Amino acid sequence: MTAAGAPDAAGGGQDAPLPPLSAVIARHDLSPRRALGQHFLLDPGLCGKIAQAARARAPAVILEVGPGPGGLTRALLAAGAARVVAVEKDRRCVAALGELAARYPGRLEVVEGDALAFDIARLGPARIGIVANLPYNVGTRLLLRWLERVERIESMTLMFQKEVAARITASGGRDYGGLSVRAQWLCACERLFDVSPRAFVPPPAVVSSVVRLVPRAAPLAPADPAALDAVTRAAFGQRRKMLRRALRSLTPEPQALLRSAGISPEARAETLSVAEFCALARAWSAMRGAEAR
């Protein structure tokens, strides 16, 4: 979701205040476009709250995705971010952000392009922070992509649809699934606060939530990523069934697999901890290795 709030923030040590966001939006004809999933965030207090949650001063570089006219960008810079790299797909917004970059020389770089194609390796060797009000249609894809490069990331402060945020942070129950396991295996995950649709223009049809993910020094438990994905996909693919049945898509001997992992055959996917899924992934890797010999 694209951000665009926080008028009248002082800029980069300049005496003159920045123009209000309403003036920037009018000057560049930045009516939100549904095709780009744009919902502009117009609440300066909320932009500041997100910037504070992101601890903007800490990372050497902050990657912001979908900044729109730059409301959250302003808040990040005002909060002390040393360098912000803003990736924006909408060329109209790139022009508006260029004006902001001129007011913060050396602190804001604007990149026109698709965040799904942006390689965070180009940001240098230091670990980065990521801050974004994510478009609903690509938010999960972006998160999974960043989790593949988690060793390069210091923290992620991200806004999702509330239901997706619940899936990321769930520890059991109906919201718990493969996304929960993958995210929590690699990161400490916390849902910080909800955001009303009324905070956006136009208002989305759903409530949003801000989630903070802090990568662990090491994964929560040993597991091969591909094996972990395979066992969670099989287990949650038939989540209402006991694992002795749900895992038949994975192996013809699910009970032997479960015994090897120390997990009850009568358990269901939504009752397993992340560590137990890791044990199941290790057992499946060992079983496959034995079959290959």
Side-chain angles (χ1 to χ4, degrees):
M1 188 182 299
T2 306
D8 297 323
Q14 303 290 332
D15 292 333
L18 292 168
L21 255 292
S22 57
V24 175
I25 290 169
R27 185 164 65 253
H28 292 274
D29 189 23
L30 298 180
S31 54
R33 290 181 176 174
R34 181 176 297 181
L36 295 176
Q38 290 177 327
H39 297 271
F40 292 158
L41 186 60
L42 299 179
D43 184 339
L46 187 53
C47 287
K49 187 176 181 180
I50 295 170
Q52 291 299 323
R55 301 170 191 171
R57 287 181 179 273
V61 181
I62 288 179
L63 172 65
E64 184 189 1
V65 171
L72 181 56
T73 317
R74 292 182 177 199
L76 290 167
L77 292 164
R83 181 182 172 213
V84 177
V85 177
V87 179
E88 175 56 61
K89 193 174 184 178
D90 187 344
R91 183 163 294 179
R92 303 173 305 156
C93 294
V94 169
L97 290 162
E99 296 177 2
L100 184 59
R103 296 290 294 273
Y104 287 92
R107 294 179 61 196
L108 175 60
E109 176 186 351
V110 182
V111 178
E112 181 179 350
D114 187 340
L116 285 167
F118 184 84
D119 185 358
I120 63 175
R122 66 179 286 183
L123 298 178
R127 295 204 304 165
I128 66 169
I130 301 178
V131 183
N133 298 324
L134 295 170
Y136 294 147
N137 57 347
V138 296
T140 301
R141 289 169 62 195
L142 281 167
L143 175 58
L144 290 172
R145 182 179 177 87
W146 292 328
L147 288 173
E148 291 176 356
R149 305 295 300 278
V150 74
E151 73 284 353
R152 300 295 306 274
I153 297 169
E154 184 169 320
S155 67
M156 294 181 276
T157 306
L158 309 172
M159 189 184 295
F160 296 94
Q161 183 176 342
K162 184 177 180 179
E163 287 75 8
V164 176
R167 287 168 51 205
I168 293 168
T169 57
S171 57
R174 64 186 181 88
D175 292 323
Y176 188 53
L179 181 61
S180 319
V181 173
R182 168 61 79 153
Q184 294 172 39
W185 178 52
L186 296 171
C187 301
C189 306
E190 180 184 8
R191 194 167 87 188
L192 300 179
F193 52 86
D194 294 338
V195 180
S196 167
R198 295 190 299 273
F200 301 94
V201 175
V206 297
V207 174
S208 302
S209 297
V210 175
V211 178
R212 181 170 168 83
L213 301 95
V214 179
R216 303 180 187 276
L220 189 145
D224 173 72
L228 186 60
D229 286 345
V231 298
T232 53
R233 187 165 52 248
F236 288 109
Q238 300 185 69
R239 63 186 303 137
R240 294 187 178 182
K241 294 185 177 180
M242 295 180 182
L243 290 172
R244 68 186 184 192
R245 296 179 62 87
L247 295 180
R248 286 180 180 174
S249 63
L250 194 67
T251 174
E253 299 180 5
Q255 297 209 56
L257 173 62
L258 289 161
R259 281 196 303 271
S260 179
I263 296 169
S264 169
E266 284 73 41
R268 289 178 170 81
E270 63 185 27
T271 68
L272 265 59
S273 67
V274 175
E276 287 175 316
F277 271 112
C278 291
L280 193 58
R282 293 194 302 272
W284 187 58
S285 294
M287 180 179 287
R288 294 177 70 205
E291 291 172 352
R293 289 196 293 272

